[in-house]
Amino acid sequence: MAKPKLKIIFPVTLFILSWLSAFFLGKRTFFRYLPIASFTSLIISVLSVVSNQRKWWENKNPLSPGPVDYTYKIGPFFLATIWIFKFTYGTFKKYVLLNALLNIINAYALAEVWERLGLFKLKKINHTIWYFICVHLSIIIYGVQFLMEKAIRNSGK
């Protein structure tokens, strides 16, 4: 169990560091992938509401009020989505492999750390189910990005 100060410092630090990384993305990259990162945050927020109702997991340290803790949704998850697309978009195999690796780290190693710190707890789902949820979401958002870019290209003709 983490000390109370650590329960605040850890998520706030992750939030700040993720947004500091945005300065290295470049303006064009940031705005190109802003819609898909926003869409992903929306999907994860809806998933969090469903999770709260069905008790799939519990956020033991929400920093924002309400059923969804936006600290992670508009912080690390949001910026990680943009970074992943920056480095892999256009090569689906590379995208899937990187997401598979990062989702393993998220679903197993990071979830374990967050549980030990007393910030988060998987309840009615396990790490493997969370992993497959993340993998499926990553494939869906790649398809959405592909369709958005195709529509933009076609509208310019």
Side-chain angles (χ1 to χ4, degrees), residues 78-120:
F78 183 87
L79 272 298
T81 300
I82 296 174
W83 278 104
I84 291 166
F85 273 94
K86 175 185 174 85
F87 289 119
T88 64
Y89 187 72
T91 309
F92 185 68
K93 185 177 179 180
K94 189 176 177 183
Y95 174 83
V96 169
L97 290 173
L98 180 61
N99 264 286
L101 174 67
L102 293 176
N103 285 325
I104 286 171
I105 293 168
N106 178 38
Y108 295 96
L110 290 178
E112 190 68 35
V113 168
W114 293 333
E115 287 179 4
R116 286 188 182 173
L117 289 174
L119 302 173
F120 172 83

Side-chain angles (χ1 to χ4, degrees), residues 25-88:
L25 281 167
K27 187 176 178 179
R28 183 180 170 124
T29 297
F30 182 81
F31 286 107
R32 177 181 182 186
Y33 299 120
L34 177 65
I36 199 63
S38 300
F39 175 73
T40 304
S41 293
L42 174 66
I43 296 298
I44 293 174
S45 296
V46 169
L47 188 60
S48 293
V49 170
V50 171
S51 167
N52 287 335
Q53 292 171 345
R54 297 183 186 228
K55 308 227 183 296
W56 290 343
W57 64 76
E58 176 185 12
N59 183 349
K60 294 183 171 190
N61 189 44
L63 296 182
S64 59
V68 178
D69 185 3
Y70 291 100
T71 310
Y72 300 102
K73 275 79 173 168
I74 62 172
F77 292 142
F78 183 87
L79 272 298
T81 300
I82 296 174
W83 278 104
I84 291 166
F85 273 94
K86 175 185 174 85
F87 289 119
T88 64

Side-chain angles (χ1 to χ4, degrees), residues 3 15 28 35 77 135 140:
K3 294 180 182 179
F15 181 84
R28 183 180 170 124
F77 292 142
V135 167
I140 291 167

